[in-house]
Amino acid sequence: MARIDFYILPDTTLEARLQFACKLAETIHRKGYRLHLHCEDKALAEQADEALWQFRDDAYLPHALEDSELADTVPITLGWQQLPVPKEETALLNLHPDIPDGIEHFARIAEIINQHQHVLVAKRACWQRYKSLGHEVVPHKLG
């Protein structure tokens, strides 16, 4: 069973959620993990892609959208379709409101909750589902 880390933000905005996703991606990358950011749709993946480029002037996180020819060569991918089956130990950052099929292939899973009502409702359901599946769920209340 995977460990699921829920990061609970005090903010309500998508921007705050994406900013924290960038910080978390940097931490995961620095620890040597590959990372897949799973998004609700291509538009959110493109927003996350742009956020990764702009989140800090002194940081570079090699990443690509899943439909890019670079996706197989970078340690961070952003997708919105079916989860990839990782070739090596990979963490999953789930920005989708639901739990995608295929989570069993990931070493660690992170969820980011902000105080937007839609996100709260969706992620409460995810929390309960992870617990019912027997995963270790760990909350991290921030700020």
Side-chain angles (χ1 to χ4, degrees):
M1 293 288 129
R3 174 180 159 146
I4 319 296
D5 291 291
F6 274 80
Y7 296 91
I8 305 163
L9 306 177
D11 305 286
T12 60
T13 65
L14 174 61
E15 291 76 21
R17 201 166 175 232
L18 289 176
Q19 186 67 22
F20 185 76
C22 292
K23 291 176 186 176
L24 192 55
E26 181 181 42
T27 300
I28 292 168
H29 176 64
R30 198 174 337 116
K31 290 183 176 184
Y33 283 95
R34 295 183 64 79
L35 174 65
H36 181 74
L37 278 81
H38 185 64
C39 300
E40 185 170 7
D41 52 31
K42 187 172 184 176
L44 181 56
E46 288 171 341
Q47 283 181 281
D49 174 54
E50 188 64 28
L52 283 168
W53 283 117
Q54 296 182 4
F55 93 102
R56 267 202 11 236
D57 290 339
D58 64 339
Y60 170 65
L61 297 173
H63 65 280
L65 295 171
E66 69 182 0
D67 62 354
S68 165
E69 58 191 41
L70 296 174
D72 288 336
T73 65
V74 294
I76 301 172
T77 55
L78 299 97
W80 58 94
Q81 300 176 58
Q82 184 175 348
L83 286 181
V85 176
K87 298 175 185 118
E88 56 190 277
E89 193 166 54
T90 302
L92 172 66
L93 175 47
N94 187 30
L95 296 176
H96 194 286
D98 299 320
I99 299 171
D101 291 333
I103 61 168
E104 65 276 2
H105 300 293
F106 291 84
R108 295 281 294 269
I109 300 168
E111 298 271 2
I112 301 173
I113 301 174
N114 65 6
Q115 301 306 306
H116 187 279
Q117 192 61 29
H118 174 73
V119 175
L120 285 171
V121 170
K123 292 304 165 183
R124 280 187 191 123
C126 289
W127 177 294
Q128 292 169 349
R129 179 122 191 280
Y130 284 129
K131 294 282 281 183
S132 73
L133 293 171
H135 294 286
E136 176 188 5
V137 177
V138 181
H140 305 276
K141 191 167 185 174
L142 306 174

